[in-house]
Amino acid sequence: MMLSSTVPEAASRLLSFVNNSPTPFHAVQTAVQRLEKVGFSKLKESDSWDKAVKPGGKYFFTRNQSTIVAFTTPGNWKQGAGLSIVATHIDSPNLRIRPVSKRTKAGYLQVGIETYGGGIWHSWLDRDLSVAGRVITSNKFGEFKSRLIKVERPILRIPSLAIHLDRGVNDSLKFNQETEFVPILGLISEQLNATSESSKSSTGDVQASSIADNHHSALLNLLASELSVAPNEIYDFELQVVLVLQLYDTQPSQLGGIVNEFIFSPRMDNQFSSFCAVDAIIGSVSSNSLPEGNVNCIALFNHEEVGSVSSTGAESNLVPSLLNRLSPTPDLLAQSIASSFLVSCDMGHAIHPNYYNKHEENHQPRINGGIIIKTNAKQRYTSDAVGSFLVKKLVEKKGGKVQEYEARNDMPCGSTVGPSLSTIGLRVVDVGCPMLSMHSIRETAGTSDVQSCIDLFQSLFENFSQLDAKLIAE
């Protein structure tokens, strides 16, 4: 029997998005490039929108290069209209380079890092790591510029301890995240000549707080080379140690499984949902006319993995500010909120064949089984009967499938951006797609689920207003 290995086109687009987006900064940049290509116009929060936002328009705005909101207005748009919103997050557990990262020990150059989010940290051991993020550079005129960087080749590694020196490692793997989880950059002896040559050729004033005192010159020289600037022009940076490869060198995010039914990749939580949101709103404007009814909107937040409490997180004023600007009086704002619906989409836990009893017996989502509706009586998820009904109807219109998820009573339940956003007064439902190995450096998702997620979002944009008009639930 021949097995089909046809790959859904949406899954291939997802791989491209993830491989171009090692950090939230890059994910926003990738999203902006796609939106601008189909005619979305950039708005600035510091500008007046009174004359900028018009019926039949396509817009986006960003904040700190790490969060993006995009929306379209229908041809009959008026202030006070509701919003159909997809909310996701684009950050993932990772390792951040410390403000003062220079370390040396036993002849090695090391780089101090801080853990971000709740990662499965042992999965970062013995991986070929590189750096990516945002670098601020200066020039001779005293001007500063924020630039993104992604070093393609592996330069860092966190080596595990040989089993001969830790015979019990297979019974209980434990390590100190401060002292035994420090990446190595190279050998001190290899840097000596490079440092000497760099000091001879370097010119320019030393910063008041010299970055050269805080980070190895070898790292700074590499960053400067990648950016085509002098090392002394690097003022500061926000870098993440990121996965570049899997199992062997230069292995990117990729398809897997006997018939390519899986995606083996970093950052599925939650770039999977974020990509689908961008893809769906672009798909909604592919025809000559925008969908009538609500304003369609996507919001890709930062800092969900550490609580969402930031100027770019879900607890910021990003969505309230948008609502206020589109409905600038209290009466119009109240009307808009009452007519709005927000789908909070974050990845969910697929049933694991080796840990079958970790799921409640009647709530066991399968990879490639369709959208998961998440419910929790303690409001860790915000789905209720009305929200679940709406999602089921929206999925039904696209011919899709819905799965249910609830955590066991004897296990804690995670959360996402939904509960925070529900405090605005919006109707909110929490959904997601199933995956394995959540928060590992390599996660597993389903190729067919990508299109299922896009279909839900497009159905929201196309059908919610008409469906809501038939719903009586006051």
Side-chain angles (χ1 to χ4, degrees):
M1 183 179 71
M2 295 293 292
L3 297 176
S4 173
S5 59
T6 303
V7 179
E9 186 180 340
S12 296
R13 295 198 302 273
L14 170 62
L15 295 185
S16 177
F17 182 90
V18 174
N19 286 330
N20 286 319
S21 306
T23 74
F25 302 116
H26 291 82
V28 167
Q29 181 186 61
T30 303
V32 165
Q33 290 169 348
R34 292 198 64 197
L35 291 168
E36 289 182 332
K37 191 173 181 179
V38 294
F40 277 73
S41 300
K42 183 174 183 177
L43 299 171
K44 292 185 177 180
E45 290 190 276
S46 57
D47 292 344
S48 171
W49 292 7
D50 288 346
K51 297 180 180 180
V53 178
K54 301 175 182 178
K58 300 175 287 188
Y59 310 97
F60 73 90
F61 64 95
T62 64
R63 185 180 288 181
N64 194 35
Q65 296 180 276
S66 58
T67 289
I68 184 168
V69 176
F71 63 96
T72 63
T73 54
N76 63 349
W77 173 71
K78 294 181 180 179
Q79 293 180 341
L83 276 69
S84 300
I85 307 172
V86 175
T88 72
H89 69 91
I90 49 176
D91 62 317
S92 302
N94 61 76
L95 306 179
R96 298 283 175 96
I97 291 181
R98 290 188 182 276
V100 181
S101 72
K102 185 186 291 185
R103 290 191 183 190
T104 58
K105 184 175 288 187
Y108 292 97
L109 302 174
Q110 291 184 293
V111 175
I113 51 90
E114 180 183 12
T115 58
Y116 174 93
I120 303 177
W121 301 126
H122 69 76
S123 68
W124 289 72
L125 299 175
D126 300 321
R127 296 287 186 174
D128 301 334
L129 306 174
S130 192
V131 294
R134 181 170 67 173
V135 178
I136 299 174
T137 61
S138 63
N139 60 26
K140 62 183 179 181
F141 303 108
E143 299 168 331
F144 298 97
K145 184 176 182 180
S146 175
R147 302 172 61 181
L148 302 190
I149 187 171
K150 177 187 176 186
V151 178
E152 297 287 350
R153 67 182 181 88
I155 60 171
L156 293 163
R157 194 175 182 87
I158 308 174
S160 59
L161 185 62
I163 192 170
H164 312 81
L165 305 178
D166 183 10
R167 292 292 184 180
V169 65
N170 289 325
D171 299 320
S172 178
L173 173 60
K174 294 181 179 179
F175 55 88
N176 186 297
Q177 293 178 19
E178 178 63 25
T179 61
E180 299 171 332
F181 195 58
V182 186
I184 57 173
L185 177 67
L187 296 171
I188 293 177
S189 58
E190 299 298 325
Q191 188 186 12
L192 293 180
N193 289 336
T195 301
S196 176
E197 291 300 320
S198 176
S199 63
K200 292 178 182 178
S201 60
S202 179
T203 59
D205 295 334
V206 177
Q207 320 279 335
S209 175
S210 176
I211 194 171
D213 294 335
N214 299 335
H215 308 283
H216 288 299
S217 60
L219 177 60
L220 294 177
N221 289 336
L222 174 61
L223 298 178
S225 176
E226 292 281 331
L227 295 167
S228 299
V229 300
N232 63 290
E233 292 179 18
I234 298 177
Y235 182 76
D236 203 354
F237 59 82
E238 299 173 74
L239 291 174
Q240 296 175 314
V241 181
V242 297
L243 168 74
V244 179
L245 317 171
Q246 179 192 13
L247 298 180
Y248 52 89
D249 290 349
T250 66
Q251 185 71 19
S253 171
Q254 65 179 40
L255 301 172
I258 192 65
V259 290
N260 286 330
E261 63 264 60
F262 298 130
I263 299 170
F264 299 150
S265 173
R267 302 182 299 281
M268 288 289 92
D269 176 20
N270 191 30
Q271 287 190 8
F272 183 113
S273 306
S274 298
F275 160 80
C276 292
V278 174
D279 212 67
I281 201 165
I282 288 174
S284 74
V285 303
S286 60
S287 61
N288 293 328
S289 60
L290 294 170
E292 296 297 333
N294 275 8
V295 171
N296 290 329
C297 175
I298 63 171
L300 281 54
F301 293 102
N302 196 9
H303 296 143
E304 188 273 346
E305 298 293 357
V306 291
S308 295
V309 184
S310 72
S311 64
T312 55
E315 292 199 18
S316 71
N317 70 335
L318 273 164
V319 170
S321 175
L322 176 63
L323 288 164
N324 275 283
R325 299 188 86 152
L326 298 182
S327 300
T329 70
D331 188 58
L332 290 171
L333 178 61
Q335 292 177 45
S336 177
I337 290 174
S339 301
S340 297
F341 185 53
L342 186 145
V343 176
S344 164
C345 191
D346 202 351
M347 299 300 280
H349 299 296
I351 187 70
H352 196 304
N354 299 335
Y355 301 93
Y356 197 80
N357 63 351
K358 295 297 183 179
H359 277 66
E360 203 280 329
E361 62 179 348
N362 292 317
H363 298 83
Q364 300 179 340
R366 262 67 171 173
I367 285 179
N368 289 329
I371 292 292
I372 302 171
I373 297 176
K374 306 176 183 180
T375 56
N376 179 258
K378 302 177 183 65
Q379 291 298 293
R380 298 291 289 171
Y381 301 125
T382 49
S383 307
D384 59 13
V386 174
S388 297
F389 168 80
L390 289 169
V391 167
K392 289 175 181 178
K393 285 297 182 182
L394 292 170
V395 171
E396 183 182 289
K397 284 184 175 293
K398 291 288 188 177
K401 297 177 290 183
V402 170
Q403 308 181 80
E404 303 277 356
Y405 176 77
E406 278 198 345
R408 291 168 56 105
N409 287 322
D410 57 0
M411 296 185 68
C413 179
S415 189
T416 184
V417 301
S420 299
L421 294 165
S422 68
T423 61
I424 302 169
L426 298 169
R427 289 173 288 174
V428 175
V429 64
D430 273 300
V431 303
C433 285
M435 65 176 289
L436 296 171
S437 306
M438 186 179 291
H439 289 195
S440 172
I441 198 168
R442 294 294 285 190
E443 299 167 325
T444 300
T447 53
S448 297
D449 284 330
V450 184
Q451 189 62 54
S452 297
C453 193
I454 294 169
D455 286 346
L456 167 60
F457 299 162
Q458 288 186 334
S459 186
L460 171 73
F461 297 151
E462 296 166 2
N463 302 307
F464 172 74
S465 294
Q466 297 90 334
L467 181 62
D468 191 42
K470 300 176 182 179
L471 178 67
I472 302 174
E474 297 179 349

